[in-house]
Amino acid sequence: MIQVTADLARCVGAGQCVLTEPAVFDQDEEDGTVVILDETPRDETTITRVRQAIHICPSRALALAEPAAPARTDTR
Ligand code: SF4
């Protein structure tokens, strides 16, 4: 499962993420900072748009935490 995170200290309220994927991102009515509506989207199309939003966010406030690859158990 992936998890969408936002650093509100960096967010400048540009709203690019909301335009890119409104099912996951919204903006606070008072200060315009990002509000994450769905922290763990599962739909591939949605995840692709989340990646786009992360890429275009002007303040680099968004990130995607992905599970680490499973540890290898063979020691060869
Ligand atoms: S695009 Fe980035 S700076 Fe703009 S509202 Fe979204 S998280 Fe904040």
Side-chain angles (χ1 to χ4, degrees):
M1 188 189 332
I2 61 157
Q3 183 165 18
V4 185
T5 61
D7 182 349
L8 295 182
R10 297 183 72 129
C11 175
V12 295
Q16 298 300 313
C17 53
V18 183
L19 294 174
T20 305
E21 184 44 274
V24 173
F25 303 108
D26 198 358
Q27 281 178 277
D28 184 89
E29 286 184 15
E30 291 190 2
D31 65 8
T33 54
V34 66
V35 175
I36 297 182
L37 302 174
D38 181 1
E39 290 187 356
T40 55
R42 293 169 185 267
D43 176 72
E44 278 302 321
T45 304
T46 303
I47 292 170
T48 297
R49 290 203 199 106
V50 167
R51 291 185 198 282
Q52 290 172 350
I54 291 170
H55 186 67
I56 64 173
C57 172
S59 61
R60 298 261 175 258
L62 301 174
L64 206 53
E66 302 190 51
R72 293 186 59 161
T73 53
D74 65 337
T75 54
R76 279 182 287 164

